[in-house]
């Protein structure tokens, strides 16, 4: 049930983090606040298609 997903920065488009989610519990796309080393600040990361 768990799938690996890639998180992409909404500001610069950098694909930085890999995580997993349960598609049954979270059918929508995930958004998390994470540190982006390219932007050098905390930004919103969204699940890549």
């Amino acid at each position: 049930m768990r799938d690996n997903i890639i998180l992409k920065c909404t500001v610069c488009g950098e694909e930085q983090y890999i995580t997993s989610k349960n598609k049954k519990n979270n059918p929508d796309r995930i958004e998390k606040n994470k540190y982006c080393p390219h932007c050098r600040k905390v930004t919103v990361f969204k699940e890549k298609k």
Side-chain angles (χ1 to χ4, degrees):
M1 288 306 279
R2 296 191 74 81
D3 288 335
N4 290 333
I5 58 169
I6 298 173
L7 297 178
K8 187 175 183 180
C9 180
T10 57
V11 177
C12 66
E14 185 92 8
E15 297 174 5
Q16 193 66 35
Y17 295 100
I18 299 173
T19 187
S20 63
K21 75 169 187 176
N22 188 334
K23 283 209 169 190
K24 187 175 182 181
N25 295 339
N26 300 329
D28 300 330
R29 291 199 182 159
I30 291 179
E31 291 185 4
K32 290 189 176 186
N33 288 327
K34 306 281 279 176
Y35 176 76
C36 180
H38 189 262
C39 300
R40 294 185 182 167
K41 59 183 176 180
V42 175
T43 60
V44 176
F45 277 75
K46 289 187 179 180
E47 180 180 338
K48 182 182 168 184
K49 286 185 178 179

